[in-house]
Amino acid sequence: MARGKAKDGDGNWKKFIWNSEKKELLGRTGGSWFKILLFYVIFYGCLAGIFIGTIQVMLLTVSEFEPKYQDRVAPPGLTQVPQVQKTEISFTASDSKSYEPYVKNLEKFLKDYSADQQTENIVFQDCGEMPTDYKDRGPYSDAQGQKKVCKFKREWLENCSGIQDPTFGYKDGKPCILVKLNRIIGFKPKAPVNDSLPAEVMAKYSPYLIPVHCAAKREEDADKIGTVEYYGMGGYSGFALQYYPYYGKLLQPRYLQPLVAVQFTNLTYDVEVRVECRAYGQNIQYSDKDRFQGRFDIKFDIRSS
Amino acid sequence: LSASELEEKYGTSINKGLSSSRAAEILARDGPNSLTPPKATPEIVKFLKQMVGGFSILLWIGAVFSWISFGIQFAQGAESPFDNLYLGVVLALVVILTGIFAYYQEAKSTNIMASFSKMIPQQALVIRDAEKKELPAEQLVVGDIVEIKGGDRIPADIRLISAQGCKVDNSSLTGESEPQSRSCDFTHENPLETKNIAFYSTTCVEGTATGIVINTGDRTVIGRIASLASGVGNEKTPIAIEIEHFVYLVAGVAISIGVLFFIISVSMRYKILDSIIFLIGIIVANVPEGLLATVTVSLSLTAKRMAKKNCLVKNLEAVETLGSTSIICSDKTGTLTQNRMTVAHLWFDNQIYSADTSEDQTSKYAQPFDQSSPSWTALSKIVTLCNRAEFRPGQENLPIMKRVVVGDASETALLKFAEVILGDVMSIRAQNKKVAEIPFNSTNKFQLSIHETDDPNDKRFLLVMKGAPERILERCSTIMINGKEEPLDSEKAEAFQTAYMELGGMGERVLGFCHLYLPENEFPDTYPFDTDSMNFPTSNLCFVGLLSMIDPPRSTVPDAVSKCRSAGIKVIMVTGDHPITAKAIAKSVGIISATSETVEDIAKRLNIPVEQVNRREATAAVVNGMELKDMSLQQLDDILCNHSEIVFARTSPQQKLIIVEGCQRQGAVVAVTGDGVNDSPALKKADIGIAMGIAGSDAAKNAADMVLLDDNFASIVTGVEEGRLIFDNLKKTIAYTLTKNIAELCPFLIYIIASIPMPIGTITILFIDLGTDIIPSVALAYEKAESDIMNRRPRNKKKDRLVNEQLAVYSYLQIGIIQSVGAFVTYFTVYAEQGFLPSTLLGVRVDWENNAINDFEDSYGQEWTKYQRMYLQWTGYTAFFVSITIQQVADLIIRKTRRNSIFQQGLFRFQYWFVAVPFAILIWVYDEVRKLFIRRYPGSK
């Protein structure tokens, strides 16, 4: 079409496709076609070369270990496991098929947290049972080889660890979810200042902890949520600071981000219940536009039969 | 037909007229005596046409698709369905705004019938029921008896049955400016030429007449011309054709790529809805939304520039048409010539002298002939005295040539001629008191007056006479040579004949002058001169000389014609004038060049009959309207093809139309100049009609696309230059605009095929097309001409397209691709520096766009929420946008010239780019300080 000659009209196009007098195919002779194709091969070849070249040069300027800018990724998001399709958990307690995807998703996620995965002492480091301060592991480069990673014991998640109950409470209609703070290289979350927190969070306070708390999204749902159990390191519902900062995929390939398990033991059935979980910290913010920044909301719909 | 036969034919009575009831009957049958206006397309239809023309339909499709996908997404409760709603609204707005813009431009083009209707006479004096009545002219019917008098407009086509010294001005009909006498005698078979018919809308200059209405309304001659003009369809201007071609091309590319990728994306298992959204993106990327507006703006800028040079452009597209003109059919009177009789040659003392004919002659010293001869003194005296024309008072400060004169054209010419050379003519006349006078009439063909002399000692009377040379010569027995009267023998008569023929052969109007000093003894002081009985001698006079007059060509015209020649434009003269005059003017302005000959010239030179001349040898041709009438179309084509220099003389309005059509059959783009109503069909038929601003009638101005405010042919040449320039520049603009289409399109293609995050959004594309790209495209219209565009041939309508293969391929496949590569490098850089290395990006689209995934992992192991990813994607849009814009700057610079190196054309001097840099920094710093204060002291006023 771009050749623009298609409209010459009245049988001319036949001549245009193959002109036997001048031995022209589509208005050009073989030699001419060869030349033009050669030109484009060279032209596009050079362009591709330039393209790849500049991309390579650009990649040279980018560090392997940490990204140049993080202004789009911070402050971190808060996300949950299981994640299936939508941020919605809907199942029937008596029907194992209905919650199978959630269980599988949790199981898959927790595989890396099993004790037998954390045996190599070159990689893993025991960071204690209680929240402590940040663990700085030097510069973001492989000058000292890979960085060590704090262990996170699956047992800490108790009822939600899947050890005693492989269905994570789903068969009893008491679903567990895992809460995690999105990984960001070099990000050091700061523990919250006391007075800004809800009373329930204050109950178990530590200065080395980013507390997590879940509550009804809407006021009127408050009574439908029932009791919420939190399981985490040392029984705290929050992320301990010794797991930060994160050193990136290359330096900490087997990094285990701290988790908080949340179990809803007495959710009202047959009603949609919206729950919002928040992480609290001085440098954890919330945004109206990004509803997953420092918090998330999840919808439960448990059917009784 | 005799009066009684007429009565019978039209069922009327000359004395009593029609009865009222009969008149009402005929009125009901024939309709009112007015011109029917052409069927107007309803405004709303015109408007809607603009809304669906060109790219609009594509954009509408895009908008509708956007709304559909919005509806579906909204129904599905998706996260951000409003993007599509906005996109649809923006697209619709773009279409509506450009539609309104185009409609406004079109609405400005005027309605030709308006001026015809203005010419309708208001009242007519009619005899009905044996009574004289004033009736509105609209109620006239065939058979009515109408009386007209000097100053009236003729209310319908009228066959005169009695006339007293009636003269009509047919200029609005035939272009002839001389008033023509009308009587009841049948003189010619052609109704236009016969003397007993007066035409609707012409003016009766003097005298009175009575006549029978023979035609009313649209059946009158002028009505037929009017319907001819409105029946002549508006030809599409070349630029409109080019733009249409361009629209087809781009729309074709857009639709084929769109459909292709629709199929690809469906077969790649994208959802139909997504595929539709891609389709919209591809269409929007491909359609240069801003281009049509840019073209219009460029054209109107050029039109403004031309208006400054006295070319008023009514139809914007005509600007370019003028540039592609290959034939100009020019009227003679007023366009090529000054439209005023001027003395061109003199003959006395057996010698022809030429006079100055330029527009602004001021002093006698400019006249290039010998003024010392006593014969000249005698001649000048006759010229001064035997003349009834006078200057209107109160014009002493005006140049002589511009003063208004009461009198006919030849006398005016003589008066001005005398005034220039002799000074105050009026006082000379006062010193030579007129005692008797016989004005010019058509039977004796001379004018005579008798004066006292200004020499107080000389009591003789001076008789002076001028008139048709052969009649004057008949009355002479002597001839003045070098101030001495010598007997007029056959040898001298021969010399006179030769001179007369020579001057006549130049197409000039020749007058002879003679005088006689009446002997004092026979005609004493008190002698009673009686002009009726002619009690004084009118023969045996003394012949003094000849003066010939012509409507001389404008001084700028020969140059303009030669410029047209070098620009490859053929100039054809089409005139109602006599062939000899036409040929003479054509020769003097160069339409017929000095070396070329017509068939007749060759025949004369070789002394063989016209039939034997090889027609191919003659480069020039003078074609008479009568010959043209009997010509077949092939013969006309033959003439137009084989002769490079053509003059058509004695042509009628219809013939003008035929000539224009003939030229168009040759594939030429034809410009027609004209001023009279008679020209308006041809003006309309022409690819570009050019009307005269001063002399032109309203109908001509309305039919034309362009009006020359100074009536000067040379202005056309300026127009041609501008027109060619704008074509060149539009080409640049389009090349510039097309380039970025690829850079807008590629992201979609790569997005679909490689499943990377969307590099550029549809609205961003609109922003480039309608925002940042408009001003540079318009700026290209200001680009000055590269080489001497007036030495090129006119562009070939079929080959030199606005958008041709080379331009499209170069813009699309070469520069466009480079630009896309550049933009993609930027895109990948932004993503890589934020954590997504290029290798990670490939194939991520589905997860990337999934709202539920809020821990999307990048190349470094960091996790991103959906919104964070979107934010990054928008940054990517900006980066892509910026890199297209930056590269468009380079594109702009390369498009500045088509052939010359940019350094030849002269870029801005390099160092000047940096002079303002400190100020730019100052602005920045200053604003930062302002912001600092705002942060420090919030809420202060």
Side-chain angles (χ1 to χ4, degrees), chain A residues 73-106:
Chain A
V73 73
L78 193 71
T79 43
Q80 88 290 351
V81 186
Q83 277 182 9
V84 178
Q85 288 298 328
K86 291 176 182 172
T87 51
E88 183 181 322
I89 292 180
S90 137
F91 64 98
T92 315
S94 54
D95 178 9
S96 67
K97 275 260 184 282
S98 70
Y99 54 79
E100 198 188 318
Y102 305 109
V103 173
K104 276 196 169 158
N105 196 264
L106 281 166

Side-chain angles (χ1 to χ4, degrees), chain A residues 134-138 140 147-148 184-189 241-248 252 255:
Chain A
Y134 308 114
K135 278 208 173 352
D136 268 319
R137 295 169 199 276
Y140 293 83
K147 309 289 183 189
K148 285 202 170 188
I184 289 171
I185 292 176
F187 181 71
K188 291 176 180 173
L241 294 187
Q242 66 258 48
Y243 291 89
Y244 300 98
Y246 173 50
Y247 272 76
Q252 292 183 323
Y255 174 75

Side-chain angles (χ1 to χ4, degrees), chain B residues 294 297-298 301 729 733 773-784 892 896:
Chain B
T294 313
V297 170
S298 307
L301 284 175
N729 287 347
T733 304
D773 246 31
I774 290 239
I775 293 168
S777 334
V778 172
L780 279 175
Y782 279 109
E783 202 52 47
K784 62 172 184 267
L892 185 67
K896 220 169 120 67

Side-chain angles (χ1 to χ4, degrees), chain B residues 928-941:
Chain B
E928 281 302 319
V929 171
R930 181 186 68 90
K931 287 172 192 158
L932 177 74
F933 275 102
I934 286 179
R935 285 198 303 271
R936 276 276 169 80
Y937 308 105
S940 59
K941 284 181 187 172

Side-chain angles (χ1 to χ4, degrees), chain B residues 492-703:
Chain B
K492 295 208 171 68
E494 190 65 30
F496 158 85
Q497 279 302 336
T498 321
Y500 181 29
M501 290 307 287
E502 192 175 340
L503 294 175
M506 285 191 277
E508 298 176 1
R509 185 186 291 174
V510 191
L511 289 178
F513 295 84
C514 63
H515 73 183
L516 182 69
Y517 283 97
L518 300 175
E520 201 180 340
N521 45 5
E522 276 179 58
F523 300 98
D525 261 358
T526 52
Y527 187 82
F529 289 101
D530 181 359
T531 51
D532 288 332
S533 59
M534 298 234 209
N535 56 353
F536 45 86
T538 56
S539 57
N540 291 329
L541 309 174
C542 170
F543 193 83
V544 180
L546 294 171
L547 241 71
S548 69
M549 283 161 296
I550 198 164
D551 180 9
R554 289 163 178 274
S555 51
T556 49
V557 170
D559 190 37
V561 169
S562 80
K563 269 191 186 165
C564 285
R565 275 273 159 71
S566 63
I569 301 169
K570 196 159 148 184
V571 183
I572 294 179
M573 183 196 274
V574 182
T575 174
D577 253 347
H578 198 269
I580 294 174
T581 322
K583 188 175 163 192
I585 293 292
K587 279 214 149 157
S588 66
V589 298
I591 288 178
I592 295 180
S593 49
T595 52
S596 61
E597 292 175 307
T598 63
V599 174
E600 290 76 13
D601 288 335
I602 294 175
K604 205 168 160 193
R605 178 166 55 91
L606 301 175
N607 232 338
I608 50 173
V610 173
E611 291 74 30
Q612 288 177 16
V613 177
N614 180 0
R615 292 190 166 265
R616 306 270 153 158
E617 270 175 36
T619 48
V622 177
V623 182
N624 196 312
M626 290 313 229
E627 295 168 38
L628 191 59
K629 214 171 169 184
D630 304 329
M631 258 180 217
S632 67
L633 290 179
Q634 280 81 2
Q635 279 171 308
L636 177 65
D637 287 356
D638 209 42
I639 287 176
L640 291 171
C641 271
N642 294 329
H643 300 285
S644 58
E645 298 166 346
I646 309 173
V647 170
F648 289 98
R650 285 263 179 250
T651 46
S652 69
Q654 276 88 351
Q655 285 174 333
K656 278 196 179 182
L657 203 57
I658 290 168
I659 294 165
V660 172
E661 279 168 347
C663 294
Q664 284 172 336
R665 266 202 303 282
Q666 317 289 318
V669 175
V670 186
V672 171
T673 68
D675 48 11
V677 177
N678 57 330
D679 296 325
S680 57
L683 286 175
K684 196 123 194 246
K685 176 73 198 170
D687 295 288
I688 176 166
I690 303 166
M692 298 299 127
I694 303 168
S697 64
D698 284 351
K701 284 183 199 168
N702 272 334

Side-chain angles (χ1 to χ4, degrees), chain A residues 83 102 117 126 140 173 213 230 237 247 250 259 262 265 267:
Chain A
Q83 277 182 9
Y102 305 109
Q117 294 287 324
D126 200 333
Y140 293 83
H213 181 71
Y230 300 89
S237 90
Y247 272 76
L250 274 184
L259 302 174
V262 183
T265 52
L267 274 173

